[in-house]
Amino acid sequence: MSSTDDHAVPADTTSAAAPRATAASQQVDSELAWTPRVRDEGRKLRVGPRALVFKPSRLTIFAMLVAVVGSTPLVFSLLWFWVVLVLPVAAIAWILRVRTTVDPETLSVRSAFSSRTVDWDDVRGLRIGSRSRVSAVLGEDDDLVLPAVHARDLPALSVASGGRFADPAAVSEPEDPAEGH
């Protein structure tokens, strides 16, 4: 679903931050965080805010390859049926190309034929469309579709954006009616 894009720096092995580092590895903020992959490669720490990348599932590539293998007998039996192979190849290219990258300062969208980066200050809000697709509202009639981002990804999007918008899944503390008396 997503990956992080950040920099690794060597850590001091005598640091007192090592015991609490495993709890911090779940956060997407500017604290130091241990990761199992990096810990085994020389005790390195990640520093700074990280970008969160939303990509389509790579499992779809397997489905497209099955479609290519399944249509192979038809390709050899009919003269123009090879054109059917263009559809899975185009779908694989789309899966590998599109993504949405979110960091605390910018929102970057890469579609099949273009890419666009906007500052979070230019985003007025988020819109949930059909099939729980998410779009960034930039102006009155200007929406930026966020590929591979769905409504279920809004909590992660809220954290990765540095809290630019409220997490819709966050549960607020209900008021106790007995306290008012």
Side-chain angles (χ1 to χ4, degrees):
M1 177 179 117
S2 63
S3 64
T4 57
D5 183 28
D6 56 286
H7 304 286
V9 296
D12 183 11
T13 56
T14 62
S15 174
R20 64 180 176 89
T22 55
S25 65
Q26 301 300 322
Q27 298 177 359
V28 185
D29 60 4
S30 62
E31 292 183 16
L32 299 177
W34 288 93
T35 61
R37 178 179 53 90
V38 175
R39 187 181 312 141
D40 296 337
E41 296 174 357
R43 295 198 173 272
K44 296 179 181 175
L45 292 174
R46 294 181 174 185
V47 178
R50 295 178 276 187
L52 187 61
V53 179
F54 296 93
K55 300 183 278 191
S57 173
R58 300 299 194 240
L59 187 59
T60 313
I61 293 174
F62 177 73
M64 293 299 110
L65 293 176
V66 168
V68 167
V69 170
S71 64
T72 302
L74 294 174
V75 170
F76 292 118
S77 66
L78 299 172
L79 184 61
W80 290 99
F81 207 82
W82 61 268
V83 176
V84 172
L85 293 178
V86 171
L87 295 175
V89 169
I92 289 171
W94 180 83
I95 292 166
L96 294 174
R97 169 85 179 141
V98 301
R99 68 187 55 194
T100 300
T101 306
V102 180
D103 62 32
E105 290 83 31
T106 59
L107 174 67
S108 300
V109 174
R110 194 165 77 175
S111 63
F113 300 108
S114 65
S115 62
R116 185 172 178 188
T117 301
V118 296
D119 290 329
W120 276 109
D121 296 333
D122 298 335
V123 177
R124 293 178 48 207
L126 297 175
R127 177 176 294 147
I128 300 175
S130 66
R131 296 174 43 174
S132 74
R133 301 284 183 195
V134 177
S135 300
V137 178
L138 303 175
E140 288 296 322
D141 295 329
D142 193 16
D143 284 356
L144 180 62
V145 177
L146 306 179
V149 178
H150 297 81
R152 68 176 178 261
D153 300 322
L154 288 177
L157 190 69
S158 174
V159 171
S161 69
R164 298 285 181 150
F165 62 94
D167 178 7
V171 179
S172 62
E173 294 292 325
E175 291 185 24
D176 188 13
E179 287 182 15
H181 298 281

